[in-house]
């Protein structure tokens, strides 16, 4: 009998190969496949020594005594060592020529630009740290941050880490309920917010949501409010304080706390497919070591780069690759406040042209939106400053990869497709841009020091191109330490699939299905929860979606299964068309089915195709297939929809279903 997850049939085959130009390779931190292979094989033999070498690139107040302590399933890195993340991101740069270098260039949605040199950012962070101390916030306290994309969000995070408070950032698009749940679960003592955040020319009333949330958050004693508008704001005496009043009264002298390597740096909540959100706990030394190393290597960061990551600070990408990784390297960041299509769909391209951005890191969902809006928007702008492109968050379908490569990178920029998770803290599988040969749709291979593999359910390695489960076989420095307040859930979520046994060390299960091709490239098939079984074949929905999106009329697609008496499962595809399509929908349905048949095989042909103007997504842009699955199986959605970006989408899909 075939067991669940035993084997996932992978149907996507991609043959196009792209190598970096000689010129790019020559100037890169790691040049050529040979150099990368030799670093990787040495690191694989002794990952702990490899990571020790990377940790030495940080500034430590006291050296570690033990590089790694592993007591399944808990790890500690650089034990005995002391350091401070804020010090590593700021203080060590201001004693060098970087003191006057731009650390953060911020552009508001209204076009206002604010630039902070490393010295200026340091001063703001020190004042903010002192302001927190003046409110009685201490080492070990949890501080919530619920803000939009403003410099004060970065300043607040670094101020927390400076004094040893653990930050808990909640994405500014979440509701008051989500804030309350996350503050209560983490027992936060204070919350930093804004009166309003600016989004698509409108005000999002964060402080009002906070007022609502705090009706049920007894642990929060102080609220710090950053002013972003002239709107009057109700402040509660004794509890609410204006950010700038506190900062202006605070001294700019602050010594960064000397913290143990395993001091909790932050908690970040991520939604599981069921149940309440998980508070992913990251600590200081290991996390900073790996994000600093990967930011430098994967983005090939140089001192003259202008680096633009479009993620929100409320996601792990914002934590690791807006704040800690780039700043630990003394990089120049561009941070943008608003929406990509405000006031028009060329805002990112306008930003790149204006600030001469050289490295651009975004998500496949955004790339598909750019494709939908059409290439006339990027074509209007000078994008010649770009030298490297990155993507993260979901499998990138080859069609979107090629568009990104041709239209945005103008066939000049390597693309780093970076696979990682909130839990991994840091990029794990990715090309190194001066060394790797890339293929559209694969994150290529594990980075040096990362032992990732694709295995069957019984733990045996999959054959080349056989779909299986993606596991990490050796602890890595930026690994989550636990789920805050629920260690049992930590064990059950990540270690149950391949537990420690006699003769087996226990492996971390990522929850992703993947296959490894004959050259060792890893292709993510998607979450195993999103795998469908059709006539006895387990197929990754990502691959069918990718086939649909390769049709010239399709902008985006999501495929789910509903039970079918004959086939076990029938496939239902939700399809969004490109803006300019004017086709007969009935004919197009048939054309799309045949297209999938041609690309993958008749087994993967959707039984039903539903056209929709939008798909239900999380705030970070992930398609919520769980909701679509409910819709097609039960005709309604009853599960948790709190992380859904636009509830109207479900309503429209329901109506379409009834028609
Ligand atoms: O399924 C994988 C997908 O996103 C999941 C992690 O989501 P999250 O914790 O929200 O973190 C996203 C930002 C790091 C993974 O388990 N994923 C992420 N990056 C990729 C990806 N799938 C394919 N290719 C990627 N590059």
């Amino acid at each position: 009998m075939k067991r669940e997850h035993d084997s996932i049939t992978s149907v996507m085959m991609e043959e196009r190969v792209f190598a970096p130009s000689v010129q790019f390779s020559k100037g890169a931190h790691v040049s050529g496949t040979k150099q990368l292979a030799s670093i990787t094989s040495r690191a694989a033999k002794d990952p702990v020594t490899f990571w020790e070498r990377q940790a030495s690139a940080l500034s430590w107040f006291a050296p570690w005594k033990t590089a790694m302590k592993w007591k399944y399933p808990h790890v500690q890195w650089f034990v005995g060592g002391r350091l401070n993340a804020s010090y590593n991101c700021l203080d060590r740069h201001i004693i060098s020529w970087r003191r006057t270098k731009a650390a953060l260039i911020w552009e508001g949605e209204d076009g206002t630009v604010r630039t902070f040199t490393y010295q200026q950012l340091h001063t703001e962070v020190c004042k903010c740290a002192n302001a927190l101390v003046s409110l009685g916030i201490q080492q070990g306290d949890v501080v919530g941050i619920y803000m939009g994309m403003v410099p004060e969000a970065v300043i607040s995070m670094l101020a927390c880490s400076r004094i040893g408070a653990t930050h808990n950032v909640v994405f500014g698009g979440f509701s008051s309920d989500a804030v309350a749940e996350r503050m209560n679960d983490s027992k936060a003592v204070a919350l930093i917010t804004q009166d309003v955040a600016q989004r698509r020319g409108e005000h999002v009333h964060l402080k009002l949501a906070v007022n609502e949330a705090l009706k049920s958050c007894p642990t929060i004693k102080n609220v710090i409010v950053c002013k972003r508008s002239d709107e009057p704001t109700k402040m509660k005496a004794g509890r609410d304080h204006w950010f700038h009043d506190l900062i202006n009264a605070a001294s700019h002298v602050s010594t960064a706390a000397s913290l143990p390597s395993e001091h909790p740096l932050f908690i970040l909540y991520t939604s599981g497919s069921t149940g309440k959100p998980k508070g992913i706990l990251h600590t200081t030394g290991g996390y900073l070591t790996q994000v600093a190393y990967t930011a430098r290597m994967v983005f090939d960061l140089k001192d003259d780069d202008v680096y633009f990551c479009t993620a929100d600070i409320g996601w792990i990408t914002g934590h690791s690759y807006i704040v800690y990784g780039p700043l630990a390297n003394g990089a120049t960041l561009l941070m943008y406040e608003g929406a990509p299509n405000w006031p028009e769909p060329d805002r990112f391209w306008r930003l790149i042209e204006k600030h001469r951005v050289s490295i651009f890191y975004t998500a496949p969902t955004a790339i598909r939106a750019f494709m939908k809006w059409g290439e006339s928007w990027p074509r209007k702008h000078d994008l010649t400053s770009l030298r490297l492109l990155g993507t993260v968050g979901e499998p990138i379908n080859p069609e979107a990869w090629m568009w990104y490569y041709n239209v945005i990178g103008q066939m000049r920029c390597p693309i780093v497709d970076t696979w990682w998770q909130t839990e991994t803290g840091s990029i794990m599988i990715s090309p190194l841009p001066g060394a790797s040969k890339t293929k559209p749709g694969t994150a290529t291979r594990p980075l040096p020091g990362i032992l990732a593999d694709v295995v069957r359910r019984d733990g045996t390695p999959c054959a080349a191109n056989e779909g299986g489960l993606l596991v990490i076989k050796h602890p890595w420095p930026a690994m989550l330490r636990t789920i805050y307040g629920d260690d049992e859930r930590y064990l059950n979520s990540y270690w149950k699939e391949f537990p420690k046994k006699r003769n087996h060390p226990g492996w971390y299960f990522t929850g992703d299905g993947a296959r490894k091709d004959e050259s060792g490239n890893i292709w993510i098939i998607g979450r195993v929860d999103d795998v469908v079984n059709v006539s006895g074949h387990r197929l990754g929905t990502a691959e069918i979606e990718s086939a649909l999106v390769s049709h010239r009329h399709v902008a985006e697609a999501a495929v789910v299964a509903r039970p079918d008496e004959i086939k076990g499962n029938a496939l239902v595809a939700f399809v969004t068309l490109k803006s300019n399509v004017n086709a007969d929908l009935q004919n197009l349905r048939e054309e799309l089915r045949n297209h999938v048949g041609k690309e993958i095989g008749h087994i993967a042909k959707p039984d039903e195709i539903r056209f929709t103007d939008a798909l239900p997504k999380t705030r970070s842009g992930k398609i919520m297939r769980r909701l679509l699955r409910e819709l097609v199986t039960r005709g309604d959605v009853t599960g948790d929809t709190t992380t859904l970006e636009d509830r109207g989408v479900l309503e429209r899909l329901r109506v379409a279903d009834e028609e």
Side-chain angles (χ1 to χ4, degrees):
M1 197 180 74
K2 218 173 187 189
R3 269 174 309 169
E4 202 190 354
H5 305 331
D6 241 9
S7 177
I8 302 170
T9 309
S10 185
V11 284
M12 203 161 96
M13 290 292 158
E14 173 62 57
E15 297 305 334
R16 289 168 287 196
V17 180
F18 296 81
S21 67
V22 174
Q23 195 194 358
F24 191 102
S25 274
K26 257 194 188 160
H29 290 312
V30 177
S31 309
T33 42
K34 267 201 193 135
Q35 193 189 358
L36 177 57
S38 123
I39 299 172
T40 309
S41 79
R42 256 182 300 141
K45 281 186 198 124
D46 185 358
V48 176
T49 304
F50 171 82
W51 287 116
E52 277 194 281
R53 263 203 305 281
Q54 311 318 324
S56 323
L58 298 178
S59 299
W60 294 79
F61 297 138
W64 58 90
K65 293 198 173 71
T66 312
M68 184 187 86
K69 270 192 193 165
W70 171 237
K71 191 162 178 289
Y72 170 90
H74 294 109
V75 76
Q76 293 183 301
W77 283 87
F78 312 120
V79 184
R82 300 185 81 87
L83 78 166
N84 183 289
S86 170
Y87 182 95
N88 273 280
C89 290
L90 301 167
D91 302 53
R92 64 181 182 146
H93 304 312
I94 63 168
I95 50 176
S96 77
W97 66 269
R98 289 199 186 100
R99 190 168 74 84
T100 51
K101 176 180 174 176
L104 175 61
I105 304 169
W106 174 83
E107 183 162 320
E109 205 181 56
D110 61 5
T112 314
V113 174
R114 292 165 69 193
T115 301
F116 297 79
T117 62
Y118 271 94
Q119 176 67 68
Q120 288 167 328
L121 192 60
H122 177 263
T123 303
E124 294 303 309
V125 169
C126 288
K127 287 196 208 168
C128 186
N130 286 327
L132 295 178
V133 171
S134 75
L135 295 176
I137 295 163
Q138 297 178 356
Q139 214 175 93
D141 282 344
V142 175
V143 174
I145 298 178
Y146 177 55
M147 304 179 87
M149 289 288 284
V150 290
E152 285 77 5
V154 177
I155 292 166
S156 300
M157 288 166 77
L158 292 170
C160 286
S161 53
R162 191 163 192 87
I163 64 169
T166 301
H167 55 70
N168 171 6
V169 181
V170 178
F171 172 56
F174 278 154
S175 64
S176 57
D177 287 351
V179 176
E181 182 173 27
R182 287 157 174 76
M183 292 305 115
N184 284 329
D185 191 68
S186 65
K187 299 174 204 66
V189 300
L191 179 56
I192 310 178
T193 188
Q194 285 170 241
D195 53 351
V196 300
Q198 190 76 34
R199 186 88 182 164
R200 289 201 173 87
E202 308 228 320
H203 286 166
V204 183
H205 289 88
L206 297 184
K207 177 61 166 57
L208 288 184
V210 166
N211 292 349
E212 196 53 38
L214 291 205
K215 287 181 184 161
S216 57
C217 294
T219 54
I220 295 205
K221 301 293 177 236
N222 289 289
V223 176
I224 305 170
V225 186
C226 179
K227 200 165 172 51
R228 179 74 187 101
S229 82
D230 296 328
E231 272 189 41
T233 303
K234 251 210 205 139
M235 301 286 275
K236 186 170 171 182
R239 185 194 74 180
D240 299 352
H241 318 268
W242 286 111
F243 189 100
H244 292 96
D245 287 350
L246 289 178
I247 295 255
N248 290 340
S251 154
H252 66 271
V253 182
S254 152
T255 306
S258 168
L259 302 168
S261 177
E262 282 299 326
H263 187 77
L265 180 61
F266 64 85
I267 303 168
L268 183 61
Y269 284 81
T270 178
S271 42
S273 45
T274 52
K276 65 175 195 157
K278 301 185 244 185
I280 305 299
L281 180 74
H282 283 289
T283 58
T284 309
Y287 171 82
L288 201 63
T289 295
Q290 198 178 337
V291 295
Y293 171 74
T294 50
R296 188 165 63 252
M297 292 307 182
V298 173
F299 300 114
D300 192 46
L301 271 181
K302 307 278 170 46
D303 262 315
D304 54 0
D305 277 314
V306 177
Y307 165 90
F308 179 21
C309 167
T310 68
D312 192 278
I313 207 110
W315 309 124
I316 190 68
T317 309
H319 284 54
S320 301
Y321 298 105
I322 291 181
V323 183
Y324 290 109
L327 292 178
N329 282 292
T332 296
L333 317 173
L334 173 68
M335 180 177 178
Y336 167 58
E337 181 181 37
N341 54 351
W342 184 266
E344 291 197 292
D346 64 345
R347 187 58 185 270
F348 283 175
W349 323 127
R350 201 175 276 281
L351 284 160
I352 289 170
E353 178 173 21
K354 176 168 165 188
H355 299 282
R356 308 303 293 154
V357 169
S358 55
I359 303 171
F360 180 65
Y361 190 31
T362 194
T365 179
I367 298 168
R368 289 192 299 265
F370 306 147
M371 289 171 74
K372 186 174 167 190
W373 297 334
E375 61 183 74
S376 61
W377 294 106
R379 294 265 184 241
K380 278 189 196 169
H381 296 277
D382 175 5
L383 303 181
T384 52
S385 57
L386 288 173
R387 68 179 194 91
L388 177 63
L389 302 174
T391 138
V392 59
E394 312 166 63
I396 180 166
N397 45 294
E399 197 64 18
W401 197 102
M402 288 307 305
W403 188 91
Y404 200 27
Y405 184 79
N406 289 328
V407 179
I408 306 305
Q410 297 167 356
M411 298 188 286
R412 182 185 69 244
C413 305
I415 295 180
V416 286
D417 175 355
T418 62
W419 178 91
W420 56 298
Q421 308 177 298
T422 307
E423 291 87 344
T424 68
S426 181
I427 298 172
M428 303 286 279
I429 304 176
S430 169
L432 288 193
S436 308
K437 290 191 176 121
T438 54
K439 281 187 185 180
T442 170
T444 70
R445 301 177 196 206
L447 290 175
I450 300 302
L451 305 188
D453 203 358
V454 180
V455 299
R456 301 181 185 122
R457 198 185 159 88
D458 64 8
T460 52
C462 285
N465 291 318
E466 178 191 358
L469 307 180
L470 180 65
V471 294
I472 320 285
K473 294 184 167 174
H474 188 279
W476 62 101
M479 183 173 119
L480 80 161
R481 297 306 192 249
T482 189
I483 292 176
Y484 189 78
D486 198 348
D487 203 48
E488 200 177 319
R489 191 171 178 202
Y490 167 70
L491 182 72
N492 288 333
S493 303
Y494 309 109
W495 302 95
K496 218 179 53 189
E497 203 77 29
F498 300 99
K500 179 177 159 70
K501 287 192 213 131
R502 224 154 44 100
N503 302 330
H504 194 293
W507 295 335
Y508 172 89
F509 176 43
T510 62
D512 281 357
R515 72 174 163 92
K516 205 156 70 163
D517 67 18
E518 49 291 300
S519 348
N521 291 316
I522 294 179
W523 300 74
I524 305 295
I525 302 174
R527 304 291 299 166
V528 288
D529 315 347
D530 291 334
V531 167
V532 292
N533 191 322
V534 183
S535 307
H537 295 273
R538 296 177 63 77
L539 299 172
T541 51
E543 297 184 322
I544 308 168
E545 288 159 7
S546 181
L548 283 164
V549 177
S550 69
H551 186 280
R552 69 190 190 288
H553 287 338
V554 176
E556 196 153 45
V559 174
V560 293
R562 67 169 155 70
D564 180 276
E565 276 182 17
I566 297 166
K567 299 165 81 174
N569 276 306
L571 295 176
V572 183
F574 290 83
V575 171
T576 309
L577 297 176
K578 287 185 181 154
S579 331
N580 52 354
V581 175
N582 191 4
D584 175 89
L585 294 186
Q586 204 42 45
N587 288 342
L588 187 55
R589 274 198 184 93
E590 214 30 54
E591 196 177 316
L592 288 177
R593 294 186 70 245
N594 291 335
H595 180 72
V596 174
K598 195 166 95 295
E599 292 284 306
I600 299 182
H602 76 277
I603 173 105
K605 273 186 177 177
D607 297 272
E608 200 184 316
I609 292 186
R610 300 192 194 175
F611 294 108
T612 167
D613 64 338
L615 294 168
K617 290 186 183 172
T618 63
R619 305 275 177 165
S620 63
K622 284 196 170 48
I623 297 168
M624 295 180 80
R625 294 180 188 78
R626 167 170 66 85
L627 302 184
L628 294 173
R629 223 167 9 242
E630 267 198 73
L631 192 70
V632 299
T633 45
R634 308 160 49 119
D636 202 0
V637 174
T638 52
D640 179 22
T641 54
T642 50
T643 53
L644 184 65
E645 186 183 41
D646 173 5
R647 286 175 196 225
V649 171
L650 270 190
E651 229 13 82
R652 294 200 293 280
L653 285 170
R654 263 195 207 110
V655 173
D657 196 31
E658 283 159 13
E659 275 169 2

